[in-house]
Amino acid sequence: MNATFALPMICLRSLTAFWTSDAYLNGNRYQTTPAPESPDSNSLLKWTVTTENACVKTLSDLGTQASAYTSLTGTFILEWLRKPEYWSEGSSGTQALWHAYTPEPVTPSELALSRQACGVACDAQPVVKGTLPNRDIAHMAATSLGYLTWGVTNDPMDYGLGDLGGWALDLLQIWGSYLANAPKGDRASWLHTHLGEQDARMGFSYSDVLAYCDAWLLARSMQSNSSERSLSAAMRDTFVQSETNRIKRFYQSRFKGSADNLVIAFRKLVDGIDLGTFDNVSGSKKHCSLLHIQTDSRVKRRLVYWHYPMLNLLKIRTIDQSWL
């Protein structure tokens, strides 16, 4: 195997083991997560049902123009849940990325008004973020919005822009963490220890894994449901299973349960990359290429700039272009 791909392939196999193994998921670090008696007992689902009702009522009370946007209630709630962690005022760093990657259109004005009104209804609800174990709700919401904005990729051997806000770039991030920490031990053992650990020291914690899996499952359901209850309906379908089985369900649904498919999809991402020229990166201009992606150049530049340290570590077809 080419040395360039040796570690990512180990990352992918470790991720596969994490997604499929009861021993991995429920070993020394985790307790077995039992299936819920009913999805309606899930605290986040309860909160969402109440909040959807409040948003729909608020929009209906505003009149016909605002009530026309009740089908976006689920999206409005996700936009509120991801803030401020994945959206705050500012035009630099990761905030600029999220503004470009998951925009909140301000036109027509009725759309902006409806989003604001639903946000007020969300503000009036009890606090839910930070109250549930293993749940990074803001991260789940932001990743869901990435899929809703750019689409859910169903091809088990390919990636899409929606994946870049989820598992794909965090897989690069934990690779970068491995290289930065330069461990002397076995790489597979290191990844087994740190991929999906309870804290996020290395960039791919258990709460990250669960957030990405839930986000893909939720967005896949929501994209085919235009009702004002699309978010709660998606949660009801998803949260009927335990955390362990939701992770397995994602792997089976997204990659057909095949490690080979995951490797192929990731290779396409890695082989990609033509994102333009970057100033002030390692003191020179760099040119990267994401050949498979056809989208707004601002989004491309920000996606790579955000994770450039990991991409640089990967040495993914990055060349000096001082003449550009």
Side-chain angles (χ1 to χ4, degrees), residues 39-55 73-74 76-83 118-129 131-132 137 140-141 231-232 235-236 239:
D40 293 301
S41 64
N42 184 282
S43 298
L44 180 56
L45 174 55
K46 289 180 179 179
W47 182 92
T48 299
V49 169
T50 301
T51 306
E52 279 179 339
N53 291 335
C55 284
T73 296
F76 293 154
I77 292 173
L78 289 171
E79 289 172 344
W80 184 88
L81 284 171
R82 57 92 168 262
K83 297 172 182 174
C118 189
V120 172
C122 291
D123 288 336
Q125 305 307 311
V127 173
V128 67
K129 291 196 296 182
T131 65
L132 306 176
I137 293 173
M140 181 200 74
L231 180 55
S232 63
M235 287 184 176
R236 189 170 284 107
F239 297 158

Side-chain angles (χ1 to χ4, degrees), residues 41 62 89 97-98 104 106 109 124 141 160 185 201 217 235 295:
S41 64
L62 287 175
E89 296 305 319
L97 167 68
W98 287 108
E104 295 185 2
V106 295
S109 59
R201 289 179 299 159
L217 293 169
M235 287 184 176
T295 187

Side-chain angles (χ1 to χ4, degrees), residues 10 15-16 65 108 120 133 156 214 236-237 251 264 281 306 308:
I10 292 173
L15 191 58
T16 297
Q65 289 182 322
V120 172
D214 282 347
R236 189 170 284 107
D237 175 68
Y251 178 62
I264 291 169
V281 177
W306 187 30
Y308 190 85

Side-chain angles (χ1 to χ4, degrees), residues 121-321:
C122 291
D123 288 336
Q125 305 307 311
V127 173
V128 67
K129 291 196 296 182
T131 65
L132 306 176
N134 299 329
R135 303 302 301 276
D136 188 340
I137 293 173
H139 204 173
M140 181 200 74
T143 304
S144 297
L145 289 169
Y147 283 119
L148 291 172
T149 301
W150 299 101
V152 175
T153 301
N154 290 303
D155 186 337
M157 294 186 288
D158 206 350
Y159 73 94
L161 274 175
D163 294 317
L164 298 183
W167 62 270
L169 287 184
D170 262 19
L171 190 58
L172 301 185
Q173 182 169 321
I174 197 170
W175 183 6
S177 295
Y178 171 85
L179 296 178
N181 284 274
K184 296 180 180 179
D186 177 70
R187 289 172 294 185
S189 297
W190 186 90
L191 284 162
H192 187 282
T193 298
H194 294 292
L195 194 154
E197 63 184 347
Q198 290 289 22
D199 62 52
R201 289 179 299 159
M202 300 302 170
F204 210 145
S205 68
Y206 176 78
S207 63
D208 289 330
V209 173
L210 184 60
Y212 297 150
C213 295
D214 282 347
W216 188 87
L217 293 169
L218 292 175
R220 184 179 64 163
S221 174
M222 291 179 68
Q223 70 175 1
S224 60
N225 183 353
S226 60
S227 78
E228 58 200 28
R229 304 289 194 276
S230 62
L231 180 55
S232 63
M235 287 184 176
R236 189 170 284 107
D237 175 68
T238 300
F239 297 158
V240 71
Q241 293 181 299
S242 67
E243 294 174 8
T244 304
N245 286 327
R246 298 204 303 271
I247 291 170
K248 291 181 180 181
R249 179 183 176 187
F250 164 78
Y251 178 62
Q252 180 62 43
S253 300
R254 177 64 181 85
F255 299 105
K256 302 301 182 187
S258 167
D260 291 337
N261 287 343
L262 173 58
V263 169
I264 291 169
F266 189 72
R267 278 184 180 272
K268 288 182 178 180
L269 170 67
V270 168
D271 283 341
I273 302 200
D274 192 20
L275 298 183
T277 302
F278 305 93
D279 295 305
N280 301 319
V281 177
S282 302
S284 63
K285 289 186 176 182
K286 297 283 185 179
H287 188 77
C288 294
S289 201
L290 223 237
L291 300 175
H292 298 295
I293 295 179
Q294 301 294 326
T295 187
D296 185 273
S297 61
R298 290 183 310 144
V299 177
K300 292 179 179 180
R301 286 195 296 271
R302 286 168 176 170
L303 283 169
V304 164
Y305 183 78
W306 187 30
H307 278 276
Y308 190 85
M310 280 68 74
L311 294 173
N312 191 39
L313 287 168
L314 288 168
K315 298 181 174 60
I316 305 175
R317 299 173 58 189
T318 303
I319 58 175
D320 286 322
Q321 294 283 335

Side-chain angles (χ1 to χ4, degrees), residues 55-56 59-60 66-74 76 226-229:
C55 284
V56 170
L59 296 181
S60 297
S67 63
Y69 293 99
T70 55
S71 63
L72 295 178
T73 296
F76 293 154
S226 60
S227 78
E228 58 200 28
R229 304 289 194 276

